[in-house]
Amino acid sequence: METLFGILNNCVYGILALLALWGAYCVILVWRRVGQVRFADEEDQDEFLSELEQALEMNNYGAVSELCEDDRRALPQLALYAVNNRNIGYAKLRRRVAERFQQDVLSDVEHRLSWVGTVIKSAPMIGLLGTVMGMMGAFANLSSGDKVDTVQMASDIQFALITTALGLAIAVPLVLSTASINIRIRKMEDLVGVGMSRLFEALKFAEA
């Protein structure tokens, strides 16, 4: 029985370690992804939009393509898509640009964040499982009918407390990281929204 509990204890520790690594990996990926697709600040985006508007004022769509094509951030790619499809009508174009932003940028970020959310929920539950297992081991020791092994009992209780602490120690930093990432995503959405409004105004000016 003690051997079985030892194996199960090691499994709980292993699962908690894997959850911690996977959660951290997903957080890093999402953080990097958001950083790759957004402008650093509004001033940086304004500089890009000024160049874009100048090219559109002169109906120089080649310059627009050259400006946007190699820039993998969200707004330049959306701008390139909008310019290349400018003849389908503004209402339809706005809808398609919004759909493209959702599919190409937000869906990938949300997919990774959903995994972080899964780790946040799972880690305390696995910790609680370890707590229950530790207490089961301690009570099994008490009910054995033999002389109580106080060392083993203390080890079981220690395991119960450690797994609870580890589950919370994994979940809490991920909760804070997710909150920070969501703020970055909201700022990115605001910047892209402002940028696309200016782009559509420039496209109307170019077509006038």
Side-chain angles (χ1 to χ4, degrees), residues 87-164:
N87 297 321
I88 65 174
Y90 287 108
K92 186 181 291 186
L93 184 59
R94 279 182 178 273
R95 185 170 63 253
R96 287 192 180 180
V97 166
E99 290 171 354
R100 193 174 181 90
F101 180 55
Q102 176 65 40
Q103 293 170 2
D104 294 351
V105 179
L106 294 182
S107 61
D108 178 58
V109 171
E110 289 169 358
H111 172 71
R112 292 293 181 183
L113 275 180
S114 69
W115 276 112
V116 178
T118 300
V119 173
I120 289 171
K121 294 175 183 177
S122 300
M125 299 300 291
I126 298 298
L128 179 59
L129 175 62
T131 302
V132 172
M133 289 170 54
M135 297 310 295
M136 286 173 61
F139 284 119
N141 187 14
L142 282 173
S143 64
S144 63
D146 301 326
K147 184 179 179 180
V148 175
D149 186 345
T150 55
V151 174
Q152 182 61 43
M153 187 174 178
S155 177
D156 290 333
I157 294 174
Q158 183 183 41
F159 171 76
L161 296 175
I162 287 174
T163 54
T164 302

